[in-house]
Amino acid sequence: MITLALDIGGTRMKLALLENGKIVKEGIVESYRDDKYQKNLDKAEAEGRRMMAELGIERIDGLGIAFPGLVNPKKKVVVSANGKFVDAIGYDLTGWVKRTFDCPFILDNDSNAALIGEMTYGCAQDTKDAVMMIFGTGVGAAAVMDGRLIRGKHFQAACIGGHMVIEAGPDATPCNCGNIGCMEANASSWALPLFAKKDPLFESSALSRLDVIDYKNLKACADAGDELAVKLLRRSLDCWSANLCNLIVAYDPEVIILSGGIARMGEALRRPLEEHVHKYAWTPWGHPDVRLAANPEASVVLGLHKLTMDEIEGKTAL
Ligand SMILES: [Zn+2]
């Protein structure tokens, strides 16, 4: 069975054609979060068709779509988009798929898909109890307990685990979700430039001369000894470590997976988080394994492949 996976991100959409748990073709197109959802989907369709044509495929057996926000996977609609793709909420995706690929399809949160991907084909095939922390524009989370993906009554359990609160009090940092003190508001790709620019060290920092203040550039500046970069990287690692301790309290995992763009930092990310969790988390049974995704760029599309095949085979339990 060949499925098409569409991973919609805040700045780009990743596509993949997959067969038997392997990516056979990849594609990428820019996404426009301020533009109409339909326009983004149509761009994704064109890219998907181009990829199919290159492989000489006329039809796909199923389509999996991941969205960086809250979705209702039962009704296959986006519920909350946190400012991204404003007209995506309630959009008739079923109608769009009928008009385009006309095949079975699933819609899920991107973090949920990433965790399923790693547990089915990636770095966590040996466990039934795992949590995911995935770094994109924001920070997503997901949890599987005793082999079952945790969804919750309103499909928002675990997947918004980047919005666990790590600061209390009226001066806590405002988050784009409406709350204050969320981890994501303190340490994420969207929050990083805000923290950099309001720091008194900014003017004298190499960060002030960058076109883009992202974690890749931050790490490079920190490695070169830039004082502000070192400080902000340290603070981000502290925030992510605190969040992992919260996820451990909530979901009792034996494996923790780090995925998404920032996971490309590799051991510079994994080791400090593991050290913190092993030192401070209350886990009398032992220590959860902190692992890097086998391929941080592929976790989501691999999970979409598995979820789509489950849908085709009638195994989806929602
Ligand atoms: Zn929040």
Side-chain angles (χ1 to χ4, degrees), residues 33 67-70 78-86 88-89 138-139 160 163 175-179 182 184 190:
R33 53 191 285 166
F67 188 80
L70 290 174
V78 171
V79 174
S80 179
N82 231 356
K84 294 174 287 243
F85 313 107
V86 279
I89 297 162
V139 182
I160 51 173
H163 294 267
C175 184
N176 58 16
C177 75
N179 201 352
C182 294
E184 185 178 300
W190 69 259

Side-chain angles (χ1 to χ4, degrees), residues 284-296:
W285 57 269
H287 294 303
D289 246 0
V290 180
R291 301 178 186 171
L292 292 164
N295 177 356

Side-chain angles (χ1 to χ4, degrees), residues 29-90:
V29 278
E30 241 180 289
S31 60
Y32 297 102
R33 53 191 285 166
D34 300 325
D35 210 334
K36 292 261 182 281
Y37 196 46
Q38 167 97 43
K39 205 167 158 187
N40 282 287
L41 287 170
D42 289 345
K43 268 179 73 177
E45 186 206 353
E47 177 67 1
R49 295 222 180 267
R50 186 195 65 76
M51 291 157 57
M52 288 162 66
E54 275 190 23
L55 288 182
I57 298 167
E58 284 186 12
R59 279 192 63 79
I60 48 171
D61 295 298
L63 170 67
I65 301 174
F67 188 80
L70 290 174
V71 307
N72 181 330
K74 209 168 173 175
K75 293 184 177 165
K76 302 181 182 181
V77 290
V78 171
V79 174
S80 179
N82 231 356
K84 294 174 287 243
F85 313 107
V86 279
D87 63 332
I89 297 162

Side-chain angles (χ1 to χ4, degrees), residues 189-251:
S189 293
W190 69 259
L192 179 64
L194 304 178
F195 274 88
K197 285 172 188 167
K198 72 180 180 191
D199 197 287
L201 291 170
F202 186 65
E203 289 307 317
S204 60
S205 165
L207 296 177
S208 68
R209 297 186 289 277
L210 293 173
D211 290 334
V212 181
I213 302 174
D214 59 12
Y215 278 97
K216 190 178 170 208
N217 289 334
L218 184 80
K219 174 74 169 53
C221 290
D223 288 346
D226 185 87
E227 192 183 350
L228 179 58
V230 169
K231 176 178 151 184
L232 291 175
L233 183 58
R234 184 64 256 169
R235 171 147 169 79
S236 292
L237 291 167
D238 287 342
C239 292
W240 299 331
S241 297
N243 209 64
L244 281 189
C245 290
N246 291 340
L247 292 170
I248 289 169
V249 167
Y251 304 111

Side-chain angles (χ1 to χ4, degrees), residues 66-300:
F67 188 80
L70 290 174
V71 307
N72 181 330
K74 209 168 173 175
K75 293 184 177 165
K76 302 181 182 181
V77 290
V78 171
V79 174
S80 179
N82 231 356
K84 294 174 287 243
F85 313 107
V86 279
D87 63 332
I89 297 162
Y91 179 82
D92 178 19
L93 210 44
T94 304
W96 180 80
V97 174
K98 183 84 193 145
R99 291 194 303 276
T100 54
F101 294 103
D102 193 20
C103 63
F105 88 103
I106 61 108
L107 170 70
D108 217 317
N109 167 270
D110 53 359
S111 319
N112 285 342
L115 180 52
I116 296 297
E118 288 300 323
M119 291 182 78
T120 310
Y121 306 110
C123 73
Q125 295 177 47
D126 57 337
T127 183
K128 289 165 77 178
D129 294 87
V131 299
M132 157 74 64
M133 201 151 100
I134 182 162
F135 303 90
T137 309
V139 182
V144 164
M145 295 173 78
D146 197 24
R148 196 175 163 83
L149 184 68
I150 303 300
R151 292 193 178 277
K153 168 81 177 168
H154 309 100
F155 306 104
Q156 65 177 78
C159 67
I160 51 173
H163 294 267
M164 282 184 163
V165 173
I166 60 165
E167 283 178 289
D171 297 331
T173 314
C175 184
N176 58 16
C177 75
N179 201 352
I180 55 170
C182 294
M183 188 280 288
E184 185 178 300
N186 278 274
S188 65
S189 293
W190 69 259
L192 179 64
L194 304 178
F195 274 88
K197 285 172 188 167
K198 72 180 180 191
D199 197 287
L201 291 170
F202 186 65
E203 289 307 317
S204 60
S205 165
L207 296 177
S208 68
R209 297 186 289 277
L210 293 173
D211 290 334
V212 181
I213 302 174
D214 59 12
Y215 278 97
K216 190 178 170 208
N217 289 334
L218 184 80
K219 174 74 169 53
C221 290
D223 288 346
D226 185 87
E227 192 183 350
L228 179 58
V230 169
K231 176 178 151 184
L232 291 175
L233 183 58
R234 184 64 256 169
R235 171 147 169 79
S236 292
L237 291 167
D238 287 342
C239 292
W240 299 331
S241 297
N243 209 64
L244 281 189
C245 290
N246 291 340
L247 292 170
I248 289 169
V249 167
Y251 304 111
D252 189 16
E254 69 178 355
V255 174
I256 291 165
I257 305 153
L258 307 172
S259 189
I262 296 170
R264 282 195 298 261
M265 266 196 246
E267 284 299 299
L269 173 75
R270 194 199 68 81
R271 199 176 305 113
L273 266 53
E274 181 182 68
E275 278 171 9
H276 182 97
V277 160
H278 287 189
K279 188 171 177 188
Y280 294 110
W282 188 10
T283 55
W285 57 269
H287 294 303
D289 246 0
V290 180
R291 301 178 186 171
L292 292 164
N295 177 356
E297 295 290 341
S299 307
V300 175

